């Protein structure tokens, strides 16, 4: 248990470093983090400094003594056999793979890590800081640049297409293979402006690139979108990002060429559709007739859902504006990563 406390302490120090940086405290490591933020932002246009800071702020709140101990205390880590766990990380938003890193290392396992080339700068920096504070991780972390081999278990995150490759390549290993997931919101029509402003955070944060971003909304018949459009207007400057603007202009043009009926406000396209996965800059919507009809629609897509965002409407709901603030126990794909790591 002493080693567990040492591991927890090391991650607490990462949280403290981030908090120092966010408080404008100046030392060797905060200066280096500032440089790494600029480097990551220059390397990946989706990683704006605002979004990087948002992700860092999230982790500063999670990597505390109370949260880490409360989370890990629910598991029996005594007499667990150390395994080598390969983690193939996603790179769709800043530090997307950090939770998997945390799970593997805090349970005392050895981490064989393959970074996403879209998000390697920041996590490599945090690994460097981790190693500088605790020598036990020198034998626990291996960075793999090419072929993944010599491991016991694997956690791989990718698209529906890459998951097929992962399923085949890792078929002999215990694995968590993550595919594309999406999140939805349910509107009753009784939401006020504040509710919808909060919903806009779930839609636009990280440009909608995360599985916890709302990419589709369910609305009652004859729903009036006027208040919705007024409430999301504070995100108008998102169109200033050239990558997002390119997607918006392309998707608008394609839908107009195909004579598709859309609503748009200059930075978001609303499109009625029974599809579930939406391109960047498009928010899908679908009408429901009543609660039973809505439940039937949700049950059909349950296995592909990450979050349901609503207000006093669904038993498994996340509140408006909170989809990007999961607790440590809110696992991707609803698969308990710690239990997976502890199972022989």
């Amino acid at each position: 248990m002493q080693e567990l406390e040492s591991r927890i302490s090391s991650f607490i120090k990462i949280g403290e470093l981030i908090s120092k940086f966010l408080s404008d405290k100046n030392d060797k490591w905060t200066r280096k983090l500032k440089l790494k933020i600029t480097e990551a932002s220059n390397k990946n246009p989706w990683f704006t400094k605002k979004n990087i800071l948002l992700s860092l702020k999230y982790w500063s709140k999670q990597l505390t003594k109370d949260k880490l101990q409360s989370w890990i205390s629910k598991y029996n880590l005594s007499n667990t056999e150390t395994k080598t766990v390969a983690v193939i990380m996603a790179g769709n938003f800043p530090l997307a793979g950090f939770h998997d890193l945390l799970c593997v290392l805090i349970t005392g396992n050895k981490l064989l890590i393959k970074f996403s080339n879209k998000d390697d700068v920041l996590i490599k920096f945090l690994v460097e800081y981790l190693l500088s504070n605790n020598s036990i991780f020198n034998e626990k972390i291996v960075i793999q640049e090419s072929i993944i081999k010599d491991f016991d278990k694997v956690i791989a995150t990718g698209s529906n297409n890459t998951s097929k490759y992962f399923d085949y390549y890792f078929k002999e290993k215990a694995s968590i293979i993550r595919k594309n997931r999406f999140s939805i919101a349910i509107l009753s029509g009784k939401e006020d402006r504040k509710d919808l402003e909060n919903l806009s955070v779930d839609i636009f944060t990280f440009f909608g690139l995360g599985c916890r971003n709302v990419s589709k909304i369910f609305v009652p018949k004859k729903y009036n979108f006027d208040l919705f459009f007024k409430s999301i207007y504070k995100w108008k400057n998102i169109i200033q990002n050239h990558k997002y603007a390119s997607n918006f202009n392309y998707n608008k043009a394609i839908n107009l060429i195909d004579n598709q009926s859309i609503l748009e406000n200059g930075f978001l396209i609303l499109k009625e559709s029974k599809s579930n996965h939406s391109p960047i800059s498009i928010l899908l919507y679908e009408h429901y007739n009543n609660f039973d009809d809505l439940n039937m629609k949700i049950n059909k897509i349950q296995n592909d859902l990450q979050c349901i965002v609503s207000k006093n409407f669904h038993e498994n709901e996340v509140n408006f504006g909170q989809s990007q603030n999961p607790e440590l126990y809110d696992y991707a794909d609803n698969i308990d990563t710690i239990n997976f790591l502890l199972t022989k």
Side-chain angles (χ1 to χ4, degrees):
M1 294 303 292
Q2 185 175 358
E3 188 175 313
L4 172 59
E5 290 302 317
S6 176
R7 297 194 296 267
I8 291 175
S9 177
S10 296
F11 282 100
I12 292 171
K13 288 178 181 177
I14 291 179
E16 291 171 343
L17 167 66
I18 297 171
S19 294
K20 282 199 300 182
F21 173 79
L22 295 173
S23 301
D24 290 326
K25 294 188 178 172
N26 188 19
D27 65 17
K28 167 190 167 184
W29 287 101
T30 58
R31 289 194 297 271
K32 192 165 186 177
L33 177 54
K34 184 176 182 179
L35 292 173
K36 291 299 178 181
I37 290 172
T38 300
E39 182 182 346
S41 183
N42 289 338
K43 183 175 183 179
N44 186 344
W46 291 115
F47 284 22
T48 63
K49 291 183 179 179
K50 179 181 178 180
N51 281 343
I52 291 173
L53 291 174
L54 189 65
S55 188
L56 288 171
K57 184 178 181 180
Y58 165 78
W59 280 110
S60 73
K61 293 179 178 178
Q62 297 300 319
L63 299 177
T64 65
K65 182 177 180 179
D66 287 346
K67 288 212 169 187
L68 288 168
Q69 288 186 338
S70 175
W71 168 52
I72 210 65
S73 67
K74 295 177 175 61
Y75 303 92
N76 181 12
L77 270 64
S78 60
N79 301 318
T80 55
E81 180 184 350
T82 300
K83 297 179 176 67
T84 298
V85 183
V87 174
I88 300 174
M89 293 189 168
N92 47 330
F93 61 89
L95 301 177
F98 188 79
H99 190 269
D100 287 332
L101 177 151
L102 171 63
C103 289
V104 173
L105 293 179
I106 209 163
T107 51
N109 288 295
K110 183 176 180 179
L111 173 66
L112 181 62
I113 182 171
K114 192 171 194 310
F115 298 108
S116 165
N117 58 11
K118 298 177 181 178
D119 184 24
D120 56 348
V121 176
L122 295 170
I123 297 188
K124 281 182 179 178
F125 167 76
L126 295 182
V127 167
E128 179 188 353
Y129 186 71
L130 195 64
L131 293 172
S132 74
N133 279 299
N134 196 331
S135 60
I136 67 169
F137 291 115
N138 288 324
E139 303 300 321
K140 295 285 190 181
I141 300 175
V142 176
I143 296 174
Q144 188 67 54
E145 300 290 352
S146 54
I147 297 174
I148 299 286
K149 58 183 180 179
D150 300 327
F151 58 91
D152 303 302
K153 295 186 174 188
V154 60
I155 301 171
T157 305
S159 65
N160 287 345
N161 288 331
T162 57
S163 70
K164 296 175 185 177
Y165 166 77
F166 290 150
D167 282 332
Y168 176 79
Y169 189 77
F170 301 125
K171 60 185 176 182
E172 304 298 329
K173 299 289 185 179
S175 63
I176 294 177
I177 308 296
R178 301 199 185 105
K179 306 175 183 179
N180 288 342
R181 287 217 170 201
F182 63 97
S183 296
I184 63 170
I186 302 169
L187 301 183
S188 67
K190 298 178 182 178
E191 293 78 18
D192 59 25
R193 183 162 187 153
K194 185 62 177 178
D195 292 328
L196 297 176
E197 285 178 353
N198 288 336
L199 173 60
S200 71
V201 175
D202 302 314
I203 296 169
F204 291 107
T205 299
F206 304 130
F207 298 103
L209 290 166
C211 66
R212 300 184 70 89
N213 283 104
V214 169
S215 57
K216 183 172 186 175
I217 56 176
F218 286 88
V219 296
K221 287 286 187 179
K222 297 182 180 179
Y223 181 82
N224 188 326
F225 283 100
D226 287 349
L227 182 59
F228 174 85
F229 274 119
K230 290 175 182 176
S231 302
I232 69 171
Y233 190 67
K234 65 178 183 177
W235 286 89
K236 62 184 182 301
N237 289 334
I238 197 170
I239 200 68
Q240 300 303 317
N241 179 278
H242 73 276
K243 294 278 285 184
Y244 184 90
S246 294
N247 279 271
F248 175 84
N249 292 330
Y250 172 80
N251 288 319
K252 180 179 176 181
I254 289 296
N255 279 281
L256 291 176
I257 290 171
D258 291 343
N259 291 318
Q260 297 290 314
S261 178
I262 60 172
L263 302 171
E264 61 93 5
N265 64 350
F267 61 90
L268 179 70
I269 298 166
L270 267 176
K271 181 178 179 180
E272 185 172 9
S273 175
K274 294 188 181 298
S275 298
N276 298 309
H277 296 281
S278 64
I280 295 168
S281 76
I282 292 182
L283 178 67
L284 303 177
Y285 70 93
E286 185 173 344
H287 291 108
Y288 63 88
N289 295 312
N290 50 50
F291 191 71
D292 288 338
D293 180 40
L294 175 64
N295 271 336
M296 184 178 68
K297 292 176 185 292
I298 292 176
N299 287 337
K300 286 181 180 179
I301 59 176
Q302 190 68 51
N303 291 335
D304 294 319
L305 285 179
Q306 189 63 54
C307 298
I308 298 174
V309 177
S310 60
K311 183 179 180 181
N312 302 321
F313 213 78
H314 196 276
E315 59 182 351
N316 297 320
E317 70 186 11
V318 176
N319 290 333
F320 290 128
Q322 295 302 311
S323 70
Q324 298 298 333
N325 294 305
E327 297 293 343
L328 292 171
Y329 51 77
D330 289 326
Y331 298 100
D333 291 17
N334 302 311
I335 299 173
D336 189 319
T337 311
I338 300 293
N339 272 339
F340 165 75
L341 295 171
L342 297 180
T343 303
K344 292 184 179 180

